[in-house]
């Protein structure tokens, strides 16, 4: 309540009358009258007429004789000197009508307690501004704390209307234009038809965007600063306090304003648009829409206002869809679902879209690496220390684990050369299982190896032995890696290279291969001859790489990669290459993949909220969304239907069968522009119970801040391995309830931890490599990107290309 305080001073007089005999007469003190609280306010203004109504909303009578009205310099008038209706001695709860000549479509009227200074904030009792901001006395009212700079009451400019005060507050939102003029009586709000018809709720996206679109379908600009949106008690905003998502609060004819309220709109609500902060007054309600169910808090107000029918509601829509108004009528049938929201644009506008190709590549390649340098004798297996196989009874022997599908590439130097080495003739590597699915057991693969020249050191003449010392020869003028052009370049001329296999005893880990290299005695150097590249063959320490993709160490015709192969080819030193493959970052190995597995058919989708609607990390999975079917069984059908019903862009992989290392899942996704859509995806990590690969909860932006569509491998970086929390974990690659081995779908026991989480020690979920023997992975981030500088599981690349 606005108050002007008048202090009433009561004096107690002691009257002393002196008689001739000095008798003193005592007069009782005058009883002090209680001080009341005086307050008067501007209550109604005919802004294009000449009447101003003042109301006494205080506790005592106020004398308005010497109060003044003032629009601007030269317009001030003493109320006692003007024609009035009512009593200038304004009683409590009474009205005074003052004739004050002021027709003005834009103005700011001040009520002053005197004329001692119209620029003095101490003298202004009340203020109202309409039509536009910036009236002369606005700053005085702002200084006095009874108005907010820049606020004004919207008006349509009709001489038949007035603006009325709602009885509380100090701002434009406490005033509204009415067609029912009640000067001298209680205010009645009747919103002008022009105003009511020109502003409508036009689109509501109550799902992941939480945005409201308002449309001006009239002929005049309407300032919405003092308008309100309201769901119910405690859930309302003055539009002028919200930062527009798009559009302008001063809404021109035919334009749209999109705002995001501070309150959250849920699946069942009723939204009212008000001309003032009077939410239970049907005359203040401009428009209304109700969705999801009947009975919202403001439904009865809308029914009283004649703009809604009791019990009527718009059916609910998916969280990325919106409900749109057809432009006519006040019923739920005038609203419809819009799968691709058109916030800020005409509801019948054709959505601008971009089509993306999304490619998820199973990029696992290097599984493990083993160096050999220690020599043992044939018979007793006694160590003879590291070095070359320069005697007939020496051998290299190493053991390693591997699973079917793995390729095998051993490398050893021809020690009496400058930079020649033995490696598989097949650049894809040697399969450790044959075409019938049997492991290589007792198989000599030496004949599959040939001599290569790395092109890093110039070759000596055959009669000369390479110079002693590491990396001391001249540079090779031909830097291309090439096959050695000489008789006897095949490996079985010089060595035997036998693979033996021992299966796992318990079936809960991979079997073990033993690889043994021995020299062919006839080809050992002849001590009677001088050292030269023609004098026999000396096998040196080397390396074994377990991998998936071709050309694991070099590419024929190209220069050396500079990661350590030169150390083997020139000096028989595998250390640098071994260190390169086993280097670790903060989240695990930088280059070694954790697992050999296939990826299931998956889904890719786009969403425009703050959080992925499908992969809800940190929560219990929604059993209806299809994530469990992907994560446990590689079935993407349920998820595709669920995401389709959400009304968001979604695509199933074009591949309907699992894809192995080197293969890809591809998706074609058409996405609306200008709505901040982000990419999400999911595919099963098949050799597990319920693990899957997905992007993080925030999604990958499909456009940058300049509106340029995404392109490249950026979405790889924040892709992670997740546990859906729906099935208890078994040993990776060997669980009986995992999809490749289970009898029927969904056969595992429930996970005691039912929260969706990244696979990593920090969440109590571990990946232990029992396929290749690398053991438990310390990957707290759950990183899966091949090439991530942090290291990790190294199994996927994600590429996005705009078509």
């Amino acid at each position: 309540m606005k108050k002007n305080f008048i202090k009433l001073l009561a004096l107690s007089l002691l009257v002393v009358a002196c008689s001739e005999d000095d008798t003193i007469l005592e007069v009782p003190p005058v009883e002090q009258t209680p001080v009341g609280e005086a307050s008067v306010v501007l209550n109604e203004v005919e802004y294009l007429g000449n009447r101003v109504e003042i109301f006494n909303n205080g506790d005592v009578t106020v004398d308005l004789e010497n109060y003044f009205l003032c629009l601007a310099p030269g317009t001030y008038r003493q109320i006692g000197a003007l024609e009035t209706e009512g009593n200038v001695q304004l009683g409590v709860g009474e009205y005074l009508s003052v004739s004050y000549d002021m027709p003005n479509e834009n103005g700011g009227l001040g009520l002053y307690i005197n004329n001692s200074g119209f620029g003095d904030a101490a003298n202004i009792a009340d203020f109202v501004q309409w039509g536009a901001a910036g009236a002369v006395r606005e700053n005085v009212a702002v200084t006095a704390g009874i108005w907010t700079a820049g606020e004004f009451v919207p008006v349509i400019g009709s001489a038949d209307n007035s603006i009325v005060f709602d009885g509380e507050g100090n701002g434009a939102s406490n005033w509204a234009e009415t067609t029912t003029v009640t000067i001298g009586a209680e205010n009645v709000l009747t919103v002008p038809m022009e105003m009511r018809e020109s502003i409508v709720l036009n689109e509501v996206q109550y799902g992941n965007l939480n945005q409201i679109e308002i449309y001006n379908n009239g002929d005049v600009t309407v300032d919405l600063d003092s308008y309100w949106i309201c769901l119910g008690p405690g859930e309302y905003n003055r539009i002028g306090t919200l930062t527009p998502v798009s559009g302008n609060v001063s809404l021109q004819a035919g334009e749209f304003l999109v705002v995001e309220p501070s309150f959250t709109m849920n699946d069942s609500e009723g939204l009212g648009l008000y001309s003032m902060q009077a939410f239970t007054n049907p005359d203040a309600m401009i428009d209304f829409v109700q969705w999801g169910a009947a009975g919202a808090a403001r439904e009865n107000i809308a029914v009283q206002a004649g703009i809604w029918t009791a019990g009527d509601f718009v059916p609910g829509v998916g969280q990325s869809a919106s409900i749109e108004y057809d432009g006519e009528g006040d019923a739920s049938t005038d609203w419809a679902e819009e799968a691709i929201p058109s916030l800020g644009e005409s509801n019948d506008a054709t959505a601008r879209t971009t089509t993306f190709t999304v490619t998820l590549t199973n990029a696992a390649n290097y599984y493990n690496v083993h160096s050999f340098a220690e020599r043992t004798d044939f018979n007793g297996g006694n160590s003879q220390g590291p070095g070359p196989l320069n005697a007939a009874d020496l051998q290299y022997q190493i053991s390693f684990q591997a699973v079917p599908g793995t390729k095998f590439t051993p490398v050893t130097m021809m020690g009496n050369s400058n930079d020649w080495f033995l490696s598989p003739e097949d650049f894809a590597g040697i399969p450790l299982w044959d075409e019938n699915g049997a492991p290589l057991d007792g198989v000599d693969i030496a004949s599959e190896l040939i001599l290569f020249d790395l092109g890093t050191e110039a070759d000596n003449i055959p009669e000369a032995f390479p110079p002693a010392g590491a990396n001391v020869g001249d540079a090779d003028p031909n830097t291309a890696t090439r096959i050695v052009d000489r008789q006897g370049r095949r490996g079985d001329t010089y060595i035997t290279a036998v693979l033996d296999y021992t299966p796992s005893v318990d079936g809960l880990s991979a079997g073990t291969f033993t690889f043994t290299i021995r020299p062919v005695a006839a080809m050992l150097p002849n001590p009677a001859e001088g050292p030269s590249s023609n004098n026999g063959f000396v096998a040196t320490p080397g390396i074994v790489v377990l991998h998936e993709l071709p050309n694991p160490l070099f590419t024929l015709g190209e220069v050396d990669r500079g990661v350590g192969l030169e150390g083997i080819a020139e000096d028989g030193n595998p250390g640098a290459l071994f260190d390169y493959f086993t280097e670790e970052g903060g989240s695990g190995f930088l280059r070694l993949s954790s697992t050999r597995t296939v990826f299931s058919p998956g889904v890719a989708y786009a969403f425009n909220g703050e959080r992925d609607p499908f992969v809800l990390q940190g929560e219990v999975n929604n059993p209806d969304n299809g994530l469990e079917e992907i994560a446990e069984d590689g079935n993407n059908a349920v998820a595709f239907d669920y995401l389709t019903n959400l009304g968001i862009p979604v695509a199933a992989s074009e591949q309907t069968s699992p894809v192995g290392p080197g293969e890809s899942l591809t998706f074609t996704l058409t996405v609306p522009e200008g709505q901040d859509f982000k990419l999400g995806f999911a595919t099963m990590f098949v050799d597990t119970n319920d693990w899957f690969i997905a992007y993080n909860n925030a999604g990958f932006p499909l456009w940058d801040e300049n509106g340029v569509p995404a392109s490249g491998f950026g979405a790889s970086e924040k892709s992670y391995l997740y546990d859906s929390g729906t099935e208890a974990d078994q040993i990776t690659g060997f669980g009986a309830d995992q999809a490749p081995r289970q009898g029927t779908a969904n056969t595992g026991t429930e996970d005691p931890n039912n929260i969706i989480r990244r696979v990593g020690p920090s969440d109590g979920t571990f990946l232990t490599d029992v396929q290749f023997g690398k053991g438990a992975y310390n990957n707290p981030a759950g990183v899966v990107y091949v090439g991530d500088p942090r290291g990790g599981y190294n199994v996927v690349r994600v590429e996005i290309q705009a078509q």
Side-chain angles (χ1 to χ4, degrees):
M1 181 180 291
K2 305 174 182 180
K3 301 293 181 183
N4 292 315
F5 296 101
I6 301 175
K7 295 181 179 179
L8 302 176
L9 179 63
L11 300 176
S12 296
L13 300 176
L14 178 62
V15 179
V16 181
C18 297
S19 64
E20 293 180 354
D21 55 6
D22 295 328
T23 302
I24 299 175
L25 300 176
E26 293 185 358
V27 179
V30 177
E31 183 177 354
Q32 183 171 335
T33 303
V35 177
E37 193 171 22
S39 177
V40 289
V41 294
L42 296 170
N43 199 55
E44 184 172 0
V45 177
E46 287 183 330
Y47 62 92
L48 288 181
N50 67 349
R51 290 190 297 172
V52 176
E53 178 187 80
I54 301 171
F55 177 62
N56 184 339
N57 63 351
D59 300 325
V60 296
T61 297
V62 178
D63 186 352
L64 298 180
E65 174 73 24
N66 294 317
Y67 276 58
F68 277 76
L69 294 173
C70 180
L71 284 169
T75 66
Y76 52 87
R77 298 290 184 271
Q78 182 181 351
I79 290 177
L82 296 174
E83 181 182 343
T84 60
E85 292 184 16
N87 199 326
V88 174
Q89 297 289 326
L90 192 60
V92 175
E94 294 184 352
Y95 303 89
L96 176 68
S97 173
V98 181
S99 294
Y100 176 60
D101 190 17
M102 57 162 202
N104 200 328
E105 289 189 359
N106 305 317
L109 178 65
L111 174 64
Y112 287 82
I113 62 176
N114 55 53
N115 68 339
S116 63
F118 296 111
D120 186 351
N123 293 332
I124 194 168
D126 202 6
F127 179 81
V128 64
Q129 180 169 251
W130 63 89
V136 175
R137 301 306 180 199
E138 178 187 10
N139 65 320
V140 182
V142 172
T143 303
I146 60 174
W147 198 258
T148 300
E151 284 192 359
F152 61 91
V153 184
V155 293
I156 64 173
S158 172
D160 296 326
N161 300 342
S162 65
I163 55 175
V164 291
F165 178 51
D166 67 3
E168 295 184 2
N170 294 300
S173 61
N174 303 108
W175 287 79
E177 185 166 12
T178 181
T179 60
T180 304
V181 178
T182 57
I183 298 291
E186 183 177 354
N187 292 341
V188 175
L189 175 64
T190 307
V191 177
M193 189 58 64
E194 298 94 320
M195 193 170 288
R196 184 184 296 276
E197 291 181 347
S198 65
I199 302 297
V200 295
L201 296 169
N202 198 55
E203 186 171 4
V204 179
Q205 210 283 355
Y206 57 81
N208 49 18
L209 289 183
N210 200 56
Q211 293 180 0
I212 300 166
E213 180 188 79
I214 300 170
Y215 176 55
N216 185 338
N217 63 355
D219 300 323
V220 297
T221 297
V222 177
D223 191 292
L224 299 180
D225 178 84
S226 61
Y227 279 53
W228 292 75
I229 46 178
C230 177
L231 292 178
E235 295 182 299
Y236 49 81
N237 291 134
R238 183 166 65 85
I239 292 175
T241 66
L242 301 174
T243 301
V245 175
S246 66
N248 198 306
V249 172
S250 181
L251 194 60
Q252 296 183 23
E255 292 194 349
F256 304 88
L257 171 67
V258 180
V259 294
E260 184 175 336
S262 64
F263 51 80
T264 299
M265 298 181 290
N266 296 307
D267 291 341
S268 299
E269 298 282 13
L271 177 67
L273 174 64
Y274 289 82
S275 65
M276 64 189 306
Q277 190 179 3
F279 304 130
T280 59
N281 185 347
D283 289 322
M285 181 178 278
I286 299 296
D287 202 4
F288 180 81
V289 62
Q290 180 170 254
W291 63 86
R298 302 305 181 202
E299 178 188 11
N300 65 319
I301 308 301
V303 172
Q304 294 176 49
I307 57 176
W308 199 256
T309 300
D312 197 13
F313 62 91
V314 183
V317 298
Q319 63 174 316
S320 289
S322 66
I323 55 173
E324 287 186 341
Y325 179 51
D326 66 7
E328 296 182 2
D330 292 306
S332 65
T333 53
D334 297 300
W335 291 79
E337 177 179 2
E338 176 52 66
I340 301 177
S342 57
L343 296 159
E345 297 184 303
S346 172
N347 289 348
D348 59 2
T350 301
R352 297 188 303 274
T353 61
T354 295
T355 297
F356 295 90
T357 298
V358 180
T359 304
L360 271 60
T361 298
N362 186 335
N365 188 11
Y366 301 110
Y367 298 121
N368 212 343
V369 60
H370 301 271
S371 62
F372 52 86
E374 190 71 21
R375 301 169 297 175
T376 59
D377 58 58
F378 283 5
N379 298 321
N382 297 315
S383 174
Q384 301 299 315
L389 299 183
N390 54 6
D393 63 344
L394 296 180
Q395 65 181 12
Y396 296 122
Q397 191 170 74
I398 58 172
S399 295
F400 56 86
Q401 290 178 284
V403 294
T406 307
K407 311 298 191 308
F408 167 74
T409 292
V411 177
T412 182
M413 178 192 182
M414 179 179 179
N416 49 331
S417 70
N418 290 81
D419 59 349
W420 293 0
F421 62 96
L422 282 175
S423 188
E425 182 177 24
D426 187 344
F427 302 122
I430 298 170
L432 287 171
W433 274 258
D434 65 22
E435 58 188 14
N436 297 316
L440 300 188
D441 186 15
V443 177
D444 186 350
I445 55 92
S447 63
E448 300 183 47
L449 310 178
I450 62 172
L451 279 173
F452 292 88
D453 186 328
L454 190 60
T456 57
E457 190 171 300
D459 297 325
N460 287 72
I461 61 174
E463 294 77 14
F465 197 79
N471 195 27
V472 296
D474 295 330
D476 195 329
N478 181 357
T479 58
T481 304
R482 55 200 184 270
I483 297 171
V484 172
D485 184 15
R486 62 174 274 172
Q487 292 293 329
R489 66 182 174 221
R490 195 160 294 277
D492 58 355
T493 304
Y494 310 106
I495 62 172
T496 61
V498 178
L499 283 164
D500 295 296
Y501 179 74
T502 303
S504 169
V505 174
D506 58 9
L508 296 179
S509 63
T512 300
F513 288 91
T514 300
F515 183 51
T516 305
I517 298 175
R518 295 176 178 175
V520 174
M523 293 305 299
L524 286 171
N526 185 349
E529 297 181 12
S532 75
S533 59
N534 282 338
N535 184 12
F537 180 98
V538 179
T540 67
I543 206 163
V544 166
V545 179
L546 305 178
H547 63 97
E548 189 71 47
L549 304 180
N551 304 308
L553 299 175
F554 64 92
T555 302
L556 191 68
E558 295 185 5
V559 299
D560 176 49
R561 296 173 186 173
V563 298
L565 182 57
E566 181 180 1
I568 296 177
E570 292 184 8
D571 306 307
N573 181 1
L577 188 57
F578 180 84
D579 290 345
Y580 168 78
F581 279 114
T582 57
E583 182 182 0
E584 293 191 43
S587 288
F589 291 114
L590 291 176
R591 297 172 187 91
L592 296 181
S593 297
S594 62
T595 314
R596 188 185 193 280
T597 189
V598 296
F599 296 168
S600 74
V603 291
Y605 50 94
F607 63 95
N608 56 358
E610 295 301 316
R611 190 178 182 199
D612 190 314
F614 183 59
V615 179
L616 302 176
Q617 180 181 348
E619 299 181 10
V620 176
N621 181 57
N622 174 0
D624 299 323
N625 68 3
L627 180 61
E628 180 177 0
E629 285 78 1
I630 286 182
E632 291 185 11
D633 304 306
N635 173 10
N636 64 351
V638 178
F640 178 81
D641 290 344
Y642 174 82
L643 292 165
T644 299
N645 289 334
L646 288 184
I648 63 176
V650 59
S653 58
E654 295 169 13
Q655 293 70 28
T656 56
S657 299
V659 297
E663 300 176 329
S664 299
L665 298 170
T666 54
F667 308 84
T668 301
L669 196 62
T670 299
V671 185
E673 298 173 7
Q675 296 185 36
D676 194 29
F677 272 95
K678 308 167 191 72
L679 173 70
F681 61 82
T683 178
M684 182 186 182
F685 199 68
V686 171
D687 266 304
T688 65
N689 294 79
D690 62 343
W691 294 358
F692 62 99
I693 295 173
Y695 199 73
N696 73 354
N697 273 132
F700 183 79
L702 287 170
W703 284 268
D704 66 14
E705 62 276 8
N706 298 315
V708 177
S711 181
F713 293 93
S716 299
E717 181 181 355
K718 292 185 179 179
S719 300
Y720 300 98
L721 182 60
Y722 288 94
D723 187 324
S724 71
T726 57
E727 188 172 306
D729 297 324
Q730 298 170 321
I731 297 173
T732 306
F734 292 91
D737 295 323
Q738 293 166 353
R741 287 162 287 280
Q742 65 188 5
T744 59
N746 195 28
T747 57
T749 59
E750 290 187 7
D751 194 330
N753 180 355
N754 62 357
I755 300 300
I756 299 173
R757 60 210 186 261
R758 294 184 194 173
V759 175
S762 62
D763 288 314
T765 307
F766 295 86
L767 187 157
T768 299
D769 174 20
V770 296
Q771 295 181 324
F772 302 98
K774 297 190 293 297
Y777 257 64
N778 179 27
N779 184 5
V783 180
V784 292
Y785 168 36
V786 172
D788 194 298
R790 294 168 289 182
Y793 298 124
N794 290 310
V795 293
V796 71
R797 283 194 183 92
V798 182
E799 183 179 12
I800 303 174
Q801 291 294 338
Q803 295 183 6

